[in-house]
């Protein structure tokens, strides 16, 4: 059986997806699995168990065990080899070195490891992303962050508002000291390994505070001494190409770091406070495959309706929800679903999060007057078929987008509203005529991200009868529920990971007539 058939038999892909990947393989000559990863048809976590079964070897969930790998096992394989072949040693058993890999038939890797280590090699299969994270965790030594702090040479940084050239050179010199450089890199690696979306490093009156946002919730971690903050801030400013002498004004920037095989995009925000500069780093793993529309978790009925909407040739589709609710991910998944060499797709984003080869992406820059309205007006002269607007913020942008939808373009955009129907009210409050909205709008999808119970510490409990009656009087099969007891893998929260919940409003004739004839104040 071929590997593509194995994925199909496992229920991970359909016949159409397999045929598309095979056709692409004839041109690119890449491995079938790599093509499916790139296209978002499969994830690395889905693929690894099938590969293990296909190659008749063991599958290990590396995320559960790599923090417990012994130091002497890690020392058996040089970091250069681990990164070169994307493998991680797990244990030594009777002159056999057990290593996790994505390709147990990589003879070059097996022979090289056998010669370099002196052990016989036994392979198990793990997710490629998990292996890369394990390499960084084990070889960078997260426990060494305290050592970086201890090695830090205290810098005398003046607290004056004015900073002269000599002070600037001191800041730059301190920021380039090895303990500071290692600490900043280790900080980012630790956040990536903990699946954090943001790092908050904030000064207090006599100390510092370090927190990671994981699954939407902030968790406290051991902070560096406050005396180290100026050097850390300067190091981050240098990486982000910001002005290191400016400490009175907010600054925004970005940089990229490589963590194993993952390329992490870091957006920097530096904000002055009365106790010093507050730093927030937003992390985005650029190497993660694009999520497919099927993997978003839309209910079956919603999925069918939404898929019909995005295949219209013109009109507007809005995605609503608060900041961090996954709106951009939904838009990218929609673009990926309808991409074609016959369509010209152009986006306006702030900022561009994922770089996608099948569309032209543009980042707005308000500092030079290139905002959403000006960019959207120029896009219409580029002969687009599909337009994606990162956010509709004002009346001008809304009206241009709606007129584009009415003149033969398919327009995707986001709005910050509490629910799907609220998008119509928001547009009316911006000053857009209701009859234009009802004519252009195809539908609105509202979404949130909710935390899911940690699978490692999940416990079952009996459902209280009163609660059962309140939840569903007709569901007699619902007799128990699950809760997270809390464990190290979920930071003792009982939750790990998030999933989307959605509501979909399709603008049919009845709905359009209702909005066109009603006062928006009643909604």
């Amino acid at each position: 059986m071929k590997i593509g058939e194995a994925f199909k038999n496992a229920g991970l892909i359909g016949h159409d997806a397999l045929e598309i990947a095979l056709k692409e393989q004839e041109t690119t000559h890449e491995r079938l699995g790599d093509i499916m990863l790139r296209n978002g048809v499969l994830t690395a976590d889905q693929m690894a168990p099938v590969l293990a079964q296909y190659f008749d070897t063991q599958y290990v969930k590396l995320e559960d065990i790599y923090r417990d790998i012994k130091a002497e096992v890690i020392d058996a394989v040089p970091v250069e080899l681990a990164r070169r072949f994307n493998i991680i040693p797990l244990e030594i058993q009777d002159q056999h070195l057990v290593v996790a890999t994505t390709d147990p038939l990589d003879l070059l890797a097996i022979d090289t490891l056998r010669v370099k280590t002196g052990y016989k090699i036994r392979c198990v299969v793990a997710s490629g992303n998990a292996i890369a994270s394990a390499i960084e965790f084990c070889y960078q030594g997260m426990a060494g962050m305290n050592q970086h702090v201890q090695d830090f040479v205290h810098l005398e940084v003046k607290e004056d508002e004015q900073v002269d050239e000599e002070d600037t050179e001191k800041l730059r010199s301190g920021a380039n000291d090895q303990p500071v450089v290692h600490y900043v890199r280790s900080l980012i690696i630790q956040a990536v390994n903990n699946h954090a979306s943001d790092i908050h490093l904030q000064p207090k009156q006599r100390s510092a505070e370090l927190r990671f946002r994981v699954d939407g919730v902030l968790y406290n971690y051991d902070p560096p001494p406050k005396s180290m903050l100026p050097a850390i801030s300067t190091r981050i400013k240098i990486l982000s190409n910001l002005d290191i002498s400016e400490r009175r004004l907010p600054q925004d920037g970005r940089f990229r770091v490589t963590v194993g095989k993952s390329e992490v995009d870091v957006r920097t925000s530096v904000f002055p406070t009365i106790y010093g500069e507050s730093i927030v780093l937003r992390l985005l793993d650029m190497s993660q495959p694009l999520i497919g529309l099927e993997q978003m978790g839309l209910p079956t009925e919603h999925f069918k309706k939404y898929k019909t909407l995005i295949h219209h040739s013109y009109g507007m589709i809005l995605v609503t929800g608060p900041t961090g609710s996954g709106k951009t991910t939904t838009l990218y998944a929609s673009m990926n679903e309808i991409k074609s060499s016959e369509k010209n797709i152009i986006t306006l984003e702030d900022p561009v999060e994922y770089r996608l080869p099948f569309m032209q992406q543009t980042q707005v820059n308000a500092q030079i007057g290139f905002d959403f309205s000006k960019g959207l007006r120029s896009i219409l002269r580029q002969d687009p078929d599909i337009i994606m607007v990162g956010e509709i913020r004002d009346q001008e942008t809304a009206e241009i987008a709606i007129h584009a939808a009415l003149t033969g373009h398919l327009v995707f955009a986001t709005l910050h509203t509490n629910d799907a129907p609220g998008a119509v009210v928001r547009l009316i409050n911006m000053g857009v005529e209701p009859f234009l909205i009802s004519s252009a709008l195809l539908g609105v999808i509202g979404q949130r991200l909710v935390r899911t119970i940690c699978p490692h510490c999940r416990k079952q409990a009996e459902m209280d009868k009163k609660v059962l009656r309140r939840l569903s009087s007709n569901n007699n099969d619902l007799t128990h529920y699950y809760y997270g007891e809390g464990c190290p893998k979920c930071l003792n929260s009982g939750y790990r990971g998030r999933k989307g919940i959605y509501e979909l409003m399709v603008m049919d004739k009845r709905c359009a007539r209702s909005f066109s004839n009603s006062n928006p104040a009643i909604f």
Side-chain angles (χ1 to χ4, degrees), residues 148-183:
H148 300 328
V149 173
Q150 294 173 9
D151 293 342
F152 172 69
V153 179
H154 179 67
L155 298 174
E156 293 293 338
V157 181
K158 297 181 180 179
E159 296 293 335
D160 304 345
E161 289 188 353
Q162 306 250 341
V163 180
D164 57 27
E165 281 188 29
E166 184 179 352
D167 291 327
T168 301
E169 288 306 313
K170 286 182 180 179
L171 283 170
R172 188 182 298 276
S173 174
N176 290 325
D177 283 344
Q178 286 301 312
V180 177
V181 172
H182 290 321
Y183 183 88

Side-chain angles (χ1 to χ4, degrees), residues 26-99:
E26 293 176 0
T27 304
T28 63
H29 303 291
E30 297 176 272
R31 295 193 301 183
L32 196 64
D34 293 337
I35 295 173
M36 292 180 176
L37 284 175
R38 188 181 66 248
N39 291 342
V41 178
L42 289 176
T43 66
D45 291 337
Q46 291 175 321
M47 184 179 294
V50 179
L51 290 175
Q53 185 177 8
Y54 184 79
F55 291 123
D56 193 24
T57 188
Q58 181 185 356
Y59 165 70
V60 295
K61 198 166 184 180
L62 201 54
E63 297 91 332
D64 298 342
I65 61 174
Y66 72 78
R67 298 172 188 271
D68 301 321
I69 302 175
K70 295 180 180 179
E72 57 267 25
V73 177
I74 294 297
D75 291 341
V77 178
V79 63
E80 294 81 10
L81 288 183
R83 286 179 173 154
R84 176 184 171 188
F85 297 117
N86 197 35
I87 61 97
I88 187 76
L90 300 181
E91 58 181 335
I92 298 173
Q93 298 178 340
D94 300 327
Q95 296 302 310
H96 282 78
L97 178 65
V98 182
V99 299

Side-chain angles (χ1 to χ4, degrees), residues 362-381:
T362 306
Q363 182 165 315
V364 300
N365 188 343
Q367 295 180 350
I368 61 174
F370 182 53
D371 55 16
F372 281 109
S373 58
K374 187 173 183 178
L376 188 53
R377 195 178 293 109
S378 299
I379 278 179
L380 294 175
R381 294 191 285 270

